[in-house]
Each structure stands twice: as C-alpha cells, then as structure tokens.
Amino acid sequence: MFQDDCADVYKYGNWNGNGEYHVKPLASSQPFEVHCRHVTSTRTYIMQRKKRKNRESFDRSWADYKDGFGNLEDDFWLGLEKIHKLTNVERSYKLRITIKFVNNSVLSYIYDDFKVTNETTGYRLQYNKVALNDTGDCFYPLLGAPFSTYDHDRDDNQGENCAKTRKGGFWYRGKGCSTCNPHGIVYGQSNGLLTGAADEAFWSSLGELAPFKINMHIVSYDVE
C-alpha cells in the first residue's frame, strides 16, 4: 500500500532510514519516487542542490520542470505536476527552504499552507503566511506568481524572459528579474561573494552572499 508522502511512509509504511521511497498522493493516479528524510520531522524533498559542482543543469524546458529531473540522491527538481499532486490534498503543508553559503552561514524560511496550483493556471505559487523569515528573503514577494521556463515565459517582466536570462526555471517576479534564482549556475566563489553574472544562482535579496547548497522540502502539519 502506497502512502501520501514521506510522513506517511515514516509513520505507517516500511521505513528503512533516509532515502528514496514511492508515494501516491490521493490526487495522483500513479505512484512516484521521492526523497525522504527524518530529522525532527519527516521531510518530503521537492528540490535539492547539494554542492557547488553543477552536476545537473537546471536550464530546462517546461516539459522537464513539469515532469522533474535529476538524481534524487544528489541535485534534482521533483517536478511541478508531482508537487501539485502532493500539496493539493486535504492535508496542509509547510514549505521549508534552507540555503547554506560559502562562509557556512545558513538562512532558513518556512511558509505555511504551501500549495502549487495546476498546469492550466501556470503552477502558481500559494501560501497563507510566513512562519519563519530570516533576513534577505526574496521568496516572499513571489506569492501568486506562475512558473516560468525559457520556452514558457510567464513572468511579469515585459521584454525580458527571466528564465532565459537566469538560465533556470522558477517563479520569477520583479523588475530586472531581481527575485530568487536558486536554479542558476553555482560559481562557488571562495570569498562567498556573488560574481554578478546574470546566470548565477542567488537567494538572499541582500545580494552579498553566493549560495552553494539549497534545498526545499515540505512537512505536513498533522503527522509531524
């Protein structure tokens, strides 16, 4: 019997430690594989960039971002359709984003009631409130934004395709594509500073630190 998410696998399934498991949310007709970890809560990962090696290209098409790509044990994007299926159930989820920088500082953000809408509406980003917000949060202004890729431009920047400029798909918003870019190239500057390249990965809206490790995972409220 398949469970809805990693929390269900941990509580009701055959848990064999952190790793890959098959889940089947109620909204999905087919099971799919996810990366699960249990720390203080059981986490279902939707995106991960583990190191600054750029093993996986995130400069991908709409079809790739819809279906997902990469290695669940390394760098990956789970897929917009899977994220939609996971989050559009009666259960409520928190989205937690963790970003580690070259100087070993860490920023964390938590967004309550996280959901992604369906493809017809552009896989729009939804949440109700911010539960934890460290300084330099560039994700907060993206509420309601549709997802964009180089071949499916849905951002609000006239005359510029942010996904094409930034070399990665995301929920872009802001003049000059100035919001988050976790899917750009991780240059891994030894001094921890951004190079200023248009395709560089960045997160902090403060703009002074270059991330080299980023992950996004969801935690359900009722089975923490």
Side-chain angles (χ1 to χ4, degrees):
M1 179 178 177
F2 292 108
Q3 279 74 40
D4 287 346
D5 57 16
C6 292
D8 277 356
V9 174
Y10 182 80
K11 192 170 184 178
Y12 307 114
N14 297 314
W15 182 263
N16 294 310
N18 298 335
E20 283 61 61
Y21 294 89
H22 281 88
V23 298
K24 185 181 178 297
L26 291 176
S28 179
S29 60
Q30 298 293 328
F32 53 86
E33 197 173 35
V34 293
H35 180 71
C36 303
R37 293 187 65 83
H38 183 82
V39 187
T40 55
S41 58
T42 309
R43 306 169 179 182
T44 305
Y45 279 67
I46 64 174
M47 176 268 193
Q48 180 170 257
R49 302 193 73 175
K50 292 183 70 174
K51 298 178 181 179
R52 67 187 85 171
K53 300 298 184 182
N54 298 297
R55 292 188 181 94
E56 194 69 41
S57 172
F58 283 76
D59 189 15
R60 301 280 193 139
S61 67
W62 178 264
D64 284 346
Y65 272 98
K66 176 183 175 179
D67 295 339
F69 55 85
N71 183 343
L72 290 175
E73 295 182 353
D74 200 351
D75 293 356
F76 73 89
W77 172 258
L78 182 61
L80 288 163
E81 188 62 24
K82 297 183 184 76
I83 299 169
H84 166 67
K85 299 292 189 189
L86 279 166
T87 58
N88 281 266
V89 292
E90 292 184 2
R91 179 176 294 171
S92 295
Y93 286 95
K94 301 175 185 179
L95 171 69
R96 186 182 187 106
I97 303 170
T98 303
I99 306 99
K100 187 173 183 178
F101 298 93
V102 176
N103 67 356
N104 290 321
S105 64
V106 177
L107 295 178
S108 293
Y109 309 92
I110 297 175
Y111 306 87
D112 286 343
D113 298 320
F114 167 70
K115 289 186 177 182
V116 170
T117 65
N118 60 26
E119 184 176 18
T120 303
T121 58
Y123 294 118
R124 289 182 180 272
L125 177 65
Q126 294 185 339
Y127 58 84
N128 282 337
K129 66 177 180 177
V130 180
L132 172 65
N133 187 343
D134 279 352
T135 58
D137 180 11
C138 60
F139 195 75
Y140 178 79
L142 303 179
L143 177 63
F147 203 87
S148 286
T149 58
Y150 66 74
D151 61 345
H152 200 86
D153 185 8
R154 298 290 295 272
D155 63 60
D156 60 358
N157 287 270
Q158 294 185 355
E160 184 172 16
N161 182 330
C162 292
K164 191 173 183 178
T165 299
R166 297 300 189 190
K167 301 296 185 183
F170 202 61
W171 292 281
Y172 290 106
R173 178 177 282 165
K175 185 177 180 181
C177 309
S178 58
T179 49
C180 314
N181 183 32
H183 293 157
I185 296 174
V186 178
Y187 285 101
Q189 293 281 86
S190 59
N191 61 6
L193 300 178
L194 296 173
T195 66
D199 60 359
E200 183 171 24
F202 67 91
W203 186 269
S204 171
S205 63
L206 301 178
E208 79 281 18
L209 294 174
F212 77 96
K213 183 176 182 179
I214 305 170
N215 70 62
M216 302 183 189
H217 59 264
I218 57 175
V219 177
S220 57
Y221 286 78
D222 56 337
V223 287
E224 287 188 83

